[in-house]
């Protein structure tokens, strides 16, 4: 069929290439047509003995090469050569029903050197002109050892003598053929073809390169003539080295077994080629051909033109293999031979070179679009499937879902695959971070098909993008005569953040328990907080006036980090109230409605020295601490109840010896404050001292022994302090153990009085943090001072 086979003559070699595309799913064989015996099936033994090579080029096309001195080549005067090849193609491995295509090939070659040596993949060949002086004037050991054997050379019959480390062996041409050799003569030449690593061969290092050589003498005797011809041949079997970026092929410049008199050696010409074609200017293709007295060296960049990079999978890793078909032709002269043309054919393939694919993040935050490039790959790689967030998609399913996938070329003749996914896609992971940012995470699993073998390779990637796309809510506060109000936007509430009242989550249950009213509309949550409800902070309490504040913390749902505080603060006119402050201070504005009216300046607490701070005709204002003014304390369940009494004593007028009671009314008002026996108080402390502070980032805290002693009037009290792991105060850290805490991370401290005496009370006066285990060391950061 057209395009099935291409043939040509390159130097002294027949060259045929078959189209692999026309052989897909087929089996083929080659037959060599013998002009006298008909077709002969080509196999490995026949190929190496007769000068044939059947291999593949770097692109996978079958290649057939044949020497013009091959066994079945028709030779006309050592100038015109022809060879006929039958190509048998079948759909069956047994080759039944095969179709045969016959291809004749022709070659002309007349520029023979006195000696020509060809080192092919599977054979070594030397051919020598027979009109040159047969015996060197330099009687070397090899020649001298051959002379005794000449007495036994058969009359008019070619014989071969091999010299190897095991000794000498003289055999006939027909016996040599049985050992895989081929010897013959043409009109003007004698040639010997030998396989590599035969029993008669030897391997030795020449300038660091291992050479396989066959030392032989061809002998022919007539009545008046004894012809001895040196048919020694030597070819390199290694000399290949690799780096990450180049491959280097080294061949000795001078081969001692081929150049007896090295002092007369003269290099005439060195050529290199690729795929059988001479490269006139190697530097144009970035090839490097260099030589000196000992070596000829060819260096090829991996991936260079003329070779082929192929994708491969090895040990679960993706990588590439580079192959190139080189040849080297070295022409020299010496005293023994007029000219020697030395040609070496070498197919070189690098070891597997791992190349981890790269994932390039070209995400466009302003467009809210992931743009991910996955590469770099050779053309023999294709993307067959992806998984997003562990959900598999074929390429068609991915496109239908809305993912955009396409190939893109890169400058180094590779390609990549582009994947575009919207931030808002349901398979993209979303996490609220920092104050007003969202971290979008795209989990990708690629499935690619590698090479003609279609080996599957899997690669996973995780791509993140953080953008400030969350707007923190802003609350609005206002008041009426009896309530404080906070209007808080509901957008993002409970999704990103929650509202906290102190250390408690402000939900509907807490709101109802504390007496708040909560109402929502389409945009806001409105909280109504009565003036004297739980959680109201009284910034100022004076005669008939209260300045009150209500705080709600906006905290992250996951980390409980406080982002901002919503506060509303107002002043109220109130004639009668009692306020129990967290620090134990009690403020009372008492309204006295008596008949007749009493003098409010003469009211007092249990301790008659505690008088009102302000008063008018109907009101008295008191401010005192629970530890003063005769205040009593008693326990009731989980609460401590502090009580005092506002009273007015009747004024008596002395008359003689018996007191006289006035008409003033008797007045008593009991004041009670309830405190929880165990209460969590949230406080904060921040200190910045550049000269003494540790670098910002983290710190450790070591709670000391849990037993503390507080001395007061020579009485020892059993006080226990502990650090809780969270706000529940259920699990505690062990004492004397370092605890790692990050900046702005809350620390939960508990101080408890273990003394069973009913007269003992605990007041936390001061709490501080130091940079070492010494409580008195500096720097010192105060948490609470004077309670």
């Amino acid at each position: 069929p057209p395009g099935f086979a291409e043939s040509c003559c390159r130097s002294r070699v027949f060259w045929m290439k078959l189209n692999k595309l026309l052989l897909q799913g087929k089996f083929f064989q080659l037959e060599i047509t013998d002009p006298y015996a008909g077709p002969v099936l080509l196999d490995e033994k026949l190929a190496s003995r007769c000068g044939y090579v059947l291999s593949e080029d770097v692109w996978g096309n079958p290649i057939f090469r044949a020497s013009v001195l091959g066994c079945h080549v028709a030779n006309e005067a050592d100038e015109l050569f022809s060879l006929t090849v039958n190509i048998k193609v079948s759909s069956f491995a047994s080759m039944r029903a095969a179709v045969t295509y016959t291809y004749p090939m022709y070659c002309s070659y007349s520029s023979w050197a006195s000696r020509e040596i060809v080192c092919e993949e599977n054979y070594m060949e030397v051919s020598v002109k027979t009109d040159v002086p047969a015996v060197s004037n330099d009687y070397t050991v090899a020649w001298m050892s051959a002379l005794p054997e000449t007495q036994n050379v058969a009359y008019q019959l070619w014989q071969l003598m091999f010299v190897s480390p095991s000794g000498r062996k003289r055999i006939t041409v027909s016996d040599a053929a049985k050992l895989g050799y081929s010897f013959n003569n043409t009109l003007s030449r004698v040639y010997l073809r030998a396989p590599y690593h035969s029993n008669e061969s030897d391997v030795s290092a020449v300038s660091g390169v291992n050479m396989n050589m066959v030392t032989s003498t061809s002998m022919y005797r007539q009545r008046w003539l004894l012809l001895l011809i040196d048919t020694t041949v030597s070819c390199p079997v290694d000399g290949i080295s690799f780096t990450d970026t180049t491959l280097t092929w080294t061949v000795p410049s001078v081969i001692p077994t081929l150049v007896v008199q090295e002092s007369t050696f003269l290099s005439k010409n060195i050529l290199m080629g690729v795929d059988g074609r001479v490269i006139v200017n190697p530097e144009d293709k970035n090839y490097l051909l260099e030589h000196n007295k000992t070596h000829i060296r060819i260096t090829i960049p991996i991936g260079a033109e003329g070779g082929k990079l192929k994708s491969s999978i090895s040990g679960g890793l993706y990588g590439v293999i580079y192959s190139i078909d080189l040849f080297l032709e070295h022409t020299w002269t010496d005293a023994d031979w007029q000219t020697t043309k030395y040609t070496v054919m070498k197919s070189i393939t690098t070891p597997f070179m791992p190349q981890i694919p790269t994932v390039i993040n070209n995400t466009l935050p302003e467009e809210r679009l992931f743009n991910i490039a996955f590469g770099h790959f050779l053309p023999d790689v294709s993307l067959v499937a992806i998984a997003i967030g562990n959900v598999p998609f074929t390429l068609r399913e991915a496109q239908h879902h809305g993912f955009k996938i396409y190939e893109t070329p890169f400058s180094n003749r590779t390609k990549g695959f582009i994947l575009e996914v919207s931030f808002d896609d349901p398979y993209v992971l979303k996490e609220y971070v920092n104050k007003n940012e969202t971290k979008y995470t795209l989990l990708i699993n690629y499935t690619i098909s590698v090479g003609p073998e279609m080996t599957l390779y899997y690669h996973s990637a995780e791509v993140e993008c953080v953008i400030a796309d969350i707007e923190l809510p802003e609350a609005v506060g206002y008041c009426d005569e009896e309530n404080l109000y906070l209007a808080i936007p509901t957008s993002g509430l409970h999704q990103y953040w929650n509202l906290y009242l102190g250390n408690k989550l402000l939900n509907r249950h807490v709101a109802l328990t504390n007496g708040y009213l909560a109402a929502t509309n389409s945009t806001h949550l409105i909280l109504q907080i009565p003036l004297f409800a739980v959680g109201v902070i009284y910034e100022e309490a004076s005669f008939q006036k209260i300045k009150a504040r209500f705080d709600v913390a906006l905290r992250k749902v996951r980390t409980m980090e406080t982002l901002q505080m919503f506060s509303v603060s107002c002043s109220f006119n109130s004639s009668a109230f009692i306020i129990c402050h967290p620090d134990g201070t009690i403020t009372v504005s008492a309204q006295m409605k008596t008949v007749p009216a009493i003098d409010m300046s003469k009211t007092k607490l249990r301790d008659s020295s505690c008088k009102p701070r302000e008063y008018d005709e109907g009101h008295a204002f008191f401010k005192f601490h629970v530890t003063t003014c005769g205040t009593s304390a008693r326990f009731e369940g989980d609460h401590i109840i502090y009580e005092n009494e506002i009273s007015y004593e009747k004024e008596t007028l002395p008359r003689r010896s018996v007191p006289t009671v006035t008409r003033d009314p008797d007045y008593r008002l009991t004041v009670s404050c309830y405190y929880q026996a165990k209460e969590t108080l949230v406080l904060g402390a921040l200190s910045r001292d550049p000269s003494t502070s540790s670098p910002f980032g983290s710190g450790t805290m070591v709670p000391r022994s849990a037993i503390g002693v507080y001395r007061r009037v020579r009485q020892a009290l059993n006080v226990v302090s502990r650090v809780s792991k969270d706000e529940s105060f259920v699990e505690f850290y062990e004492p004397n153990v370092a605890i790692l805490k990050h900046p702005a991370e809350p620390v939960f401290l508990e101080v408890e009085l273990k003394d069973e005496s009913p007269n003992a009370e605990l007041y936390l006066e001061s709490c501080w943090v130091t940079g070492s285990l010494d409580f008195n060391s500096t720097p010192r950061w105060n948490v609470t001072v004077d309670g």
Side-chain angles (χ1 to χ4, degrees), residues 8-19:
C8 61
C9 178
R10 297 177 183 173
S11 184
R12 53 188 300 283
V13 177
F14 292 101
W15 204 289
M16 175 183 284
K17 179 175 76 172
L18 305 182
N19 190 334

Side-chain angles (χ1 to χ4, degrees), residues 506-563:
L506 182 56
N507 51 30
R508 287 193 175 273
H509 173 72
V510 172
L512 289 174
T513 302
N514 291 351
Y516 310 154
L517 292 179
T520 57
N521 56 29
S522 59
T523 59
H524 284 77
L525 165 69
I526 294 95
L527 284 176
Q528 176 184 315
I529 305 99
L531 173 61
F532 296 109
V534 176
V536 176
I537 300 169
Y538 303 97
E539 297 177 308
E540 182 182 340
S542 60
F543 187 54
Q544 299 186 8
K545 182 180 180 182
I546 300 174
K547 184 177 182 182
R549 188 182 84 241
F550 183 75
D551 296 335
V552 174
L554 187 72
R555 293 187 182 181
K556 286 186 178 180
V557 170
R558 293 182 59 186
T559 64
M560 290 184 59
E561 176 189 349
T562 300
L563 299 177

Side-chain angles (χ1 to χ4, degrees), residues 199-263:
N199 291 334
E200 294 73 33
S201 67
D202 184 28
V203 176
S204 63
V206 177
S207 299
V209 178
N210 286 324
M211 306 291 291
N212 188 226
M213 56 187 174
V214 175
T215 304
S216 65
T217 303
S218 302
M219 300 176 289
Y220 185 82
R221 182 180 182 187
Q222 284 187 346
R223 181 168 43 189
W224 47 271
L225 173 66
L226 176 62
L227 185 61
L228 301 180
I229 301 178
D230 182 4
T231 47
T232 296
V233 63
S234 181
C235 290
V237 292
D238 55 19
I240 308 297
S241 61
F242 304 97
T243 69
D244 292 340
T245 57
T246 62
L247 63 86
T248 301
W249 178 27
T250 303
V251 176
S253 294
V254 181
I255 304 169
T257 55
L258 302 180
V259 181
V260 178
Q261 301 183 62
E262 291 189 29
S263 61

